[in-house]
Amino acid sequence: MMSGQRLQGCRSLHLNEDNGRFVLLAVLIVLYLLCGAAVFSAIERPSELRAHGRWHGTLLNFSETFNVSLQELNSFLREYEAAIATGIRADALRPRWDFTGAFYFVGTVVSTIGFGMTTPVTVAGKVFLIFYGLLGCAATILFFNLFLERIITLLAVVMKAVRERRIRNSGLLPPGIRHDFSAYSLPGWKPSVYHVMLILGLSAITISCCASAMYTPVEGWAYLDSLYFCFVTFSTIGFGDFVSSQSAAYKYQSLYRVANFFFMLMGVCCIYSLFNVISIVIKQVLNWILEKMSCLFCQRCNKATVLLGRRNAIRPGSKSRQGRTGQLSDSDGPCDSDTEGRRLSGEMISMKDLAASNKVSLAIMQKQLSESANGYPRTVCGSSRLNGFSGGVGALGIMNNRLAETSNSR
């Protein structure tokens, strides 16, 4: 009876923790948006006011020079804005709705980039876009998730092989294992989310720099503008202020369009994977914040139980005790170390404590990752909720238990 009550209490506690993490993330996102709005308003608002002033002066000058009323001039400009929506520009551009232009358009639709340079204007085109985008976007997101799964598996295999080679060459293995290292093979090892994030980040930077080196001479953009275009495109933001492959003709046009397609595909896949790996780190930070809040709550209420007593949540400064068997000690509470006392007293986190917490937290994208690499079947058990990365859908579901920081076992 007591065990059943404890199980029910743990389940309600987990639901409360999940809700707490969701609310905390929502609050932080709102604060992030407010800070971003303040920064961009301070940076861009003066330029906007100056642009409005210049444009108003230009209209007045044109109206006086050619004896055209401002009302007639504004009416003409509204007609031109409607023409822009259909793809008409003052400079000669490529046709928007020939086969190659339509293929470029549907690529921006299913990848959710949506530059806005080309949009359907007929009722039939708009209705078809709704159904076409519904299926196409879903299929492309599935493709991105499968790409993420395979890139993490590939990185795990390569990093595991490198680690095994370093251990083999270090001469620190026992004689029995040294002669038959294949029997050892680092059981249960998984790569760190920070290493995967570093590799994906460097890959994204490399792709962006190479693509910018191509866009700068071909499109006539500044290199910084090309880098800006690469991030906006690869992250599927797609403002549309810079759009590649829009001129009527290019030197080596076919080669350029193939290279443009390749860079966009690889860039979007790489940035998508990087964003999802960064989300693991953000979730770790949320776990740590909630645990600190739980520790403060427990101290004030003098309770023995903790709201978030997870062994696998991030705890900067809380070192896990390990015996000779390598197992974590279950006696470690979330607030029982001297370091935790220093944290709660307001002392800053030292680099040593932060490094120690990272070592403890380096195990959550690894187990399923190792299982995929070694051919073991994936299993889902109730204990997956103990690490703060339970289940999940989409990319989080793929990464669950595949990295060191999302694994059940440490």
Side-chain angles (χ1 to χ4, degrees):
M1 182 69 178
M2 290 295 294
S3 61
Q5 292 178 350
R6 289 179 181 177
L7 180 60
Q8 185 176 3
C10 291
R11 288 177 178 174
S12 64
L13 201 64
H14 175 74
L15 292 177
N16 293 335
E17 179 187 351
D18 282 344
N19 292 334
R21 187 186 298 111
F22 173 78
V23 172
L24 178 60
L25 180 59
V27 171
L28 292 178
I29 289 177
V30 171
L31 293 176
Y32 192 75
L33 293 175
L34 293 176
C35 293
V39 172
F40 280 111
S41 178
I43 295 175
E44 299 293 338
R45 181 59 177 169
S47 177
E48 180 188 23
L49 294 177
R50 290 193 298 269
H52 276 287
R54 289 194 301 269
W55 178 245
H56 183 68
T58 301
L59 289 180
L60 288 178
N61 185 37
F62 187 91
S63 175
E64 294 174 357
T65 302
F66 296 97
N67 195 22
V68 179
S69 67
L70 288 177
Q71 183 177 3
E72 292 176 343
L73 185 56
N74 287 325
S75 177
F76 174 77
L77 292 176
R78 280 191 287 270
E79 292 292 334
Y80 180 65
E81 289 175 354
I84 290 177
T86 63
I88 299 174
R89 296 290 192 276
D91 298 326
L93 297 177
R94 59 180 289 182
R96 296 298 176 87
W97 293 110
D98 62 350
F99 182 79
T100 57
F103 184 82
Y104 191 90
F105 167 74
V106 296
T108 63
V109 170
V110 299
S111 62
T112 70
I113 296 176
F115 286 125
M117 293 288 292
T118 304
T119 56
V121 295
T122 63
V123 175
K126 293 176 180 179
V127 172
F128 178 71
L129 175 64
I130 295 174
F131 295 98
Y132 183 85
L134 182 65
L135 181 60
C137 291
T140 306
I141 291 174
L142 175 61
F143 173 81
F144 290 156
N145 286 334
L146 295 178
F147 177 87
L148 172 63
E149 183 177 16
R150 278 149 183 79
I151 195 65
I152 292 179
T153 302
L154 175 63
L155 291 176
V157 172
V158 173
M159 293 171 66
K160 183 177 180 180
V162 172
R163 187 175 180 86
E164 289 176 350
R165 183 179 180 85
R166 291 177 60 184
I167 293 177
R168 188 186 300 111
N169 296 334
S170 64
L172 300 178
L173 293 174
I177 297 179
R178 191 180 306 168
H179 295 293
D180 189 15
F181 187 77
S182 60
Y184 178 68
S185 189
L186 294 176
W189 183 88
K190 298 181 180 72
S192 164
V193 66
Y194 303 110
H195 294 158
V196 173
M197 183 171 62
L198 176 63
I199 294 174
L200 289 175
L202 292 176
S203 301
I205 292 174
T206 302
I207 294 174
S208 299
C209 290
C210 294
S212 299
M214 179 186 69
Y215 292 133
T216 298
V218 176
E219 298 289 349
W221 300 336
Y223 190 79
L224 182 59
D225 290 337
S226 298
L227 285 174
Y228 162 80
F229 165 77
C230 287
F231 175 78
V232 170
T233 301
F234 298 165
S235 60
T236 70
I237 297 174
F239 290 127
D241 49 350
F242 289 91
V243 182
S244 62
S245 190
Q246 294 300 303
S247 296
Y250 292 96
K251 188 177 182 180
Y252 307 112
Q253 180 167 288
S254 299
L255 180 62
Y256 171 65
R257 288 182 176 175
V258 170
N260 181 51
F261 175 80
F262 172 78
F263 278 125
M264 282 190 177
L265 178 62
M266 295 305 299
V268 170
C269 290
C270 192
I271 291 293
Y272 177 85
S273 302
L274 179 61
F275 282 170
N276 283 284
V277 172
I278 292 176
S279 69
I280 294 294
V281 179
I282 294 176
K283 198 168 185 181
Q284 287 180 315
V285 175
L286 295 177
N287 289 340
W288 176 72
I289 293 175
L290 288 176
E291 186 169 349
K292 298 297 107 176
M293 295 171 61
S294 172
C295 292
L296 291 173
F297 176 79
C298 292
Q299 281 194 344
R300 291 176 182 177
C301 298
N302 296 321
K303 292 183 178 181
T305 58
V306 187
L307 181 62
L308 300 177
R310 289 187 175 176
R311 291 179 298 173
N312 290 343
I314 290 185
R315 306 175 188 173
S318 178
K319 300 179 181 179
S320 299
R321 301 171 187 167
Q322 297 182 351
R324 295 184 178 180
T325 59
Q327 300 294 327
L328 292 175
S329 172
D330 293 336
S331 63
D332 287 346
C335 306
D336 58 355
S337 66
D338 295 336
T339 307
E340 287 295 318
R342 293 199 305 271
R343 298 297 167 270
L344 298 177
S345 65
E347 198 171 328
M348 293 186 65
I349 300 174
S350 67
M351 292 301 296
K352 180 179 179 181
D353 294 332
L354 182 60
S357 69
N358 287 339
K359 290 180 180 179
V360 174
S361 303
L362 280 183
I364 301 184
M365 269 186 184
Q366 286 185 353
K367 186 176 180 181
Q368 287 186 356
L369 183 67
S370 178
E371 289 173 349
S372 297
N374 295 322
Y376 298 129
R378 300 179 195 168
T379 57
V380 179
C381 58
S383 62
S384 64
R385 286 187 172 270
L386 294 176
N387 57 25
F389 293 87
S390 57
V393 295
L396 284 180
I398 290 174
M399 291 187 294
N400 181 45
N401 219 19
R402 285 181 168 268
L403 295 180
E405 289 73 14
T406 57
S407 295
N408 299 328
S409 60
R410 296 295 186 135

